[in-house]
Structures are given as C-alpha cells and as structure tokens.
C-alpha cells in the first residue's frame, strides 16, 4: 500500500465519495473504500456494489483496496477488520473523508484511525450546505461545486442504475411524431404564453379537452369505447363537446390547426368524431400522441426550450448536464424519472411540471420531485416544481412542502402560471445565483 492513503466510507449515497475522490485523486497513492458487507443475520445491507462503481468511475486502476465491514454497529469487529488492513503505522498520511456511511460506522473508523496514526491522521467531510470540503485541522475550506463536475450517466451509474434514457432538443420524440408541424405547434403555444393567455389555455385543457379525451383505460385505443364516451357527453346538458365546438378561443384553434392532418383532434371548427370506417389503430394513430402532448408534454418542451440557450452559454453540455424525459432503471427498484434534469458542477437540479392548479395534485408532484432529486443528488440537490397555480397559492404550497420535507428556499422552489412568461431566466437565476 502507498505512503499516502485516502480512506472513503461508502454508504448508500456515493456522490460525496465520487466528488471527494475526484478532487483528491492525484494527491494520494492509494484509496481505501470501506463499505458494509451484506449480512442477513444482523439485517445489514451491503454497499459493496457502490464501492465497485466508484472504483470504476474514479478510474482507480490498481490504486484501490476494498475493505468490507462484517458488522458496522460492532466496534470490536470494526477494529478487527481495520487492523487486518492497517497492521502497522508505516504510512506518511492517512486521510479519512467521513461523509458517507452510517454514523456508527464512521465514528468507529474515525476513532480507530486517529488513535492508531495520531498526527499522521487527517479527517474531512463534504458540507452539503455550501459544497465545501472541510478539514478537521484547518479553517481553510474548498468549494468543490465548480471544481468537480459529473454527468448524468455517471451520476446514475454510481447509484447502480443500469438502463438510462433521456431526450435532447434535436432528438425529442414528439418532433419525430409531428415532423414538420412541430415547430409551428410549439411556437403557437409559446406565443400564447407570451401573450398572457396561459390561464385561458389551462382552463380549456381542464374543460373541454380533458373531459373529452381523458376518461378511462384504453379510451383512445378502442373506437367503440371512445364513441360510447362521446355519446354520453352529448347527452350531458353542459356538454364538453358543445364547449369544444362553440367556445374554443381563436388562439387555441390556431394551435389545434397547426397539428399535422393525420394527428388533428378537430375537423374544421368542430371536434373530430370517428366514423364507422375508422379502426382501433386509426383512432390511436390520430389522437393518442396529440392528446399526450396537449395534456402536458407541451409544457415540458416549452420550459426546456426556454433554458437551453443559457445552459449552453454557461458551457453545460446537452446530453451530459441537462436533458428531458429522464428515465432510469435498476434491478429490484422502481424506475427513476424526472421531467427535466440539470447538473451544475455536481449539484443535481430536478424539475417537475404540471399544468394543474389543484393544490393536492401539485403537492404530490412536489413531494415526488424533492424525493427524486435527493435520491441521486443527496442533500446538495435542488428541486423545482412548475405548476398552473397563481402566485398566492404557490407561496402557500412552497411553505407547506418546505415544512413537511425539511427543505429550504435554497433547495426547493415552486413556480406558478405567473412565472411562465420568463420561466427560463427564473430557473437559471435559481440555479446559478
């Protein structure tokens, strides 16, 4: 083993290990990655797979040693495990970064190394509040946020995700689905928002759009089911179909007419209703993508378009540091999803979007994005929720979520419909200032 050794305690959040390891890699001859060994007898989960991923992504080659701890709550066993690796004190320096791992595990490792190596021992931790590497024996701190960078594939990989998918500006799936019509469609929506018509658009989406097109499993895949649904709506005195045909504002007709011919929900100035010649495949092909886009994907695209240029100006790379429609999978775990992701240095910013103005639904989305951002970004992460609520309601929601999750203004923010017009600059201000 080399003369200068960096010891990392590896827990279930490997990001601090990666950040510290990346920064200190060239200063140490050897890395010791200490992790908990899986032990069903004492109900102890193992973190060895995280250690292996760190070794891989830090490109340690032969500069590493793994040290599994058989019982992270037993001080005698930990000392025994450590003694097997450090039988003597013939080292120039032993540096323990104790950001990861359980408190009990870290305490026993720290005490053992300090007692054994005395003045050769150094300790440090990565402060999640201000991204600084803090040394025990020095008042000097080093901000690593702008020094160490990580891309989305590496971030998810060290968290053991195996399948990672997301989209970028030029390869966005709805561009492929709507082809040459996509730019005009999205531009008409953007124009409506810039003309302060976002609230009218949201009201139309709630009724008649969702009343007609959101109504149960396979509604848009079965002609008979869709026509029966339409018939029931026609029998309603306050029919959404009448509202669609007679009360749709002109700017929304402009949006609807921008969709390609084979994807329109309207036939002239009226709702398109399938005739007897239409098959299930014909129905699905015509309406499904259009309904999905109008139901909320348009907001995802609009927001992404607003932030893309500034992110590129700040030297972030699309496909590495930002993207949209992120979905990742790993064995025996739910899928990880974010509407938009952004990584500034090593800070993950998760962005979730909803056109809803209903507090309960927005609150649920808020809980979800806070949890997911922390899940792979740790306490350093930030969550942003964009909603269809007005300003007074977003302030109340932000206060509620901050109280119930322990998040601060620095780590979580809610935007509403009043913010849509300049949402790009507001997001970038939250991220970079």
């Amino acid at each position: 083993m080399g003369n200068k050794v960096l010891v990392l305690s590896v827990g279930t959040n490997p990001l601090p290990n990666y950040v510290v390891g990346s920064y200190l890699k060239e200063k140490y001859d050897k890395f010791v990655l200490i992790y908990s060994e899986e032990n069903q007898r004492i109900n102890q989960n193992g973190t060895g797979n995280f250690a292996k991923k760190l070794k891989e992504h830090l490109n340690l080659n032969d500069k590493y040693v793994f040290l599994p701890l058989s019982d992270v709550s037993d001080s005698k066993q930990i000392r025994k495990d450590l003694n097997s690796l450090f039988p003597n004190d013939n080292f120039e320096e032993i540096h323990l970064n104790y950001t990861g791992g359980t408190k009990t595990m870290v305490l026993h490792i720290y005490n053992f190394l300090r007692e054994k190596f005395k003045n050769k021992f150094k300790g440090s931790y990565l402060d999640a509040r201000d991204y600084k590497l803090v040394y025990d024996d020095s008042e000097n701190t080093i901000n690593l946020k702008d020094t160490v960078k990580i891309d989305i594939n590496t971030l998810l990989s060290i968290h053991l995700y195996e399948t990672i998918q997301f989209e970028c500006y030029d390869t966005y799936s709805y561009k492929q689905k709507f082809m040459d019509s996509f730019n005009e469609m999205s531009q008409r929506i953007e124009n409506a928002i810039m003309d302060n018509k976002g609230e009218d658009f949201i009201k139309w989406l709630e009724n008649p759009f969702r009343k007609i097109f959101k109504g149960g499993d396979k509604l848009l895949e079965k002609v008979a089911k869709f026509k029966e649904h339409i018939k029931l709506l026609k029998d309603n005195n306050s029919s959404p179909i009448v509202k669609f045909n007679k009360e749709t504002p002109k700017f929304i007709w402009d949006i609807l007419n921008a969709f390609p011919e084979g994807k329109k929900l309207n036939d002239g100035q009226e709702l398109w209703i399938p005739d007897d010649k239409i098959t299930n495949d014909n129905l699905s092909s015509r309406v499904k993508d259009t309904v999905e886009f109008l139901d909320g994907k348009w907001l995802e695209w609009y927001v992404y378009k607003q932030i893309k240029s500034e992110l590129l100006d700040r030297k972030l790379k699309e496909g590495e540091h930002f993207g949209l429609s992120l979905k990742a999978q790993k064995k025996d775990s739910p899928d990880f999803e974010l509407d938009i992701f952004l990584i500034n240095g090593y800070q993950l910013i998760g962005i979730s979007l909803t056109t809803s103005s209903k507090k309960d639904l927005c609150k649920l989305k808020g809980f979800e994005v806070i949890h997911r951002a922390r899940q792979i970004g740790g306490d350093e992460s930030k969550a942003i929720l964009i909603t269809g609520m007005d300003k007074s309601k977003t302030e109340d929601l932000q206060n509620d979520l901050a109280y119930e999750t322990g998040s601060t203004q620095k780590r979580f923010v809610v935007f509403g419909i009043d913010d849509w017009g300049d949402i790009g600059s507001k997001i970038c201000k939250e991220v970079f200032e």
Side-chain angles (χ1 to χ4, degrees), residues 189-201:
I189 292 174
E190 183 175 340
N191 292 344
I193 294 172
M194 296 304 178
D195 290 342
N196 296 314
K197 293 177 180 175
E199 190 169 353
D200 290 336
F201 190 28

Side-chain angles (χ1 to χ4, degrees), residues 99-324:
T99 313
T102 66
K103 291 180 181 179
T104 305
M105 169 182 166
V106 165
L107 175 65
H108 295 317
I109 295 172
Y110 187 97
N111 287 337
F112 171 88
L113 294 177
R114 186 177 62 175
E115 290 168 11
K116 188 174 186 73
F117 295 100
K118 299 180 175 59
N119 62 345
K120 296 178 181 178
F121 172 75
K122 289 186 178 182
S124 68
Y125 70 95
L126 186 62
D127 194 331
R129 294 168 299 178
D130 53 15
Y131 320 102
K132 290 181 178 179
L133 183 62
V134 181
Y135 290 90
D136 292 354
D137 59 354
S138 174
E139 294 183 359
N140 294 327
T141 59
I142 303 160
N143 191 316
L144 298 186
K145 184 177 178 181
D146 298 324
T147 304
V148 177
K149 301 184 186 301
I150 191 169
D151 62 83
I152 190 63
N153 285 296
T154 301
L155 178 58
L156 285 164
S157 179
I158 63 174
H159 282 86
L160 310 183
Y161 286 92
E162 300 164 348
T163 304
I164 302 166
Q165 298 174 315
F166 56 86
E167 298 188 272
C168 294
Y169 190 89
D170 291 333
T171 58
Y172 188 51
S173 59
Y174 286 92
K175 277 190 171 184
Q176 318 307 317
K177 292 174 180 178
F178 298 121
M179 303 299 286
D180 295 340
S181 300
F182 183 80
N183 288 339
E184 183 181 356
M185 290 159 39
S186 58
Q187 188 61 54
R188 287 185 183 275
I189 292 174
E190 183 175 340
N191 292 344
I193 294 172
M194 296 304 178
D195 290 342
N196 296 314
K197 293 177 180 175
E199 190 169 353
D200 290 336
F201 190 28
I202 295 303
K203 288 179 180 177
W204 182 87
L205 288 171
E206 288 293 333
N207 185 16
F209 170 75
R210 291 192 178 103
K211 296 285 186 182
I212 296 172
F213 293 103
K214 305 288 286 185
D217 186 41
K218 297 187 177 179
L219 177 66
L220 306 182
E221 298 176 20
K222 302 291 184 181
V223 173
K225 190 169 186 176
F226 183 73
K227 292 180 77 170
E228 179 64 23
H229 174 67
I230 294 296
K231 183 176 181 297
L232 291 173
L233 290 178
K234 277 186 176 180
D235 292 339
N236 190 316
N237 291 332
S238 56
S239 172
I241 296 176
V242 173
K243 191 174 181 68
F244 186 101
N245 293 339
K246 304 297 183 182
E247 299 179 29
T248 294
K250 181 182 181 304
F251 79 91
I252 295 179
W253 282 121
D254 290 340
I255 293 170
L256 295 175
N257 285 322
F259 282 80
E261 282 301 322
K263 297 285 188 181
K264 287 184 178 180
L265 302 182
N266 59 305
D267 185 5
Q269 293 293 108
E270 292 187 347
L271 176 71
W272 174 78
I273 299 175
D275 59 31
D276 294 336
K277 297 178 182 179
I278 296 296
T279 66
N280 291 337
D281 288 343
N282 293 152
L283 173 68
S284 181
S285 176
R286 174 153 183 161
V287 302
K288 194 172 182 181
D289 293 336
T290 303
V291 169
E292 286 177 356
F293 189 73
L294 288 173
D295 193 39
K297 286 294 184 179
W298 66 268
L299 183 58
E300 178 181 283
W301 174 255
Y302 167 77
V303 171
Y304 190 75
K305 187 178 177 184
Q306 303 309 302
I307 62 174
K308 175 177 173 283
S309 294
E310 183 162 350
L311 298 183
L312 291 173
D313 288 344
R314 290 178 178 271
K315 308 304 181 185
L316 273 66
K317 296 180 180 179
E318 188 180 25
E320 293 185 19
H321 306 126
F322 65 97
L324 70 165

Side-chain angles (χ1 to χ4, degrees), residues 57 90 253:
H57 286 288
N90 297 328
W253 282 121

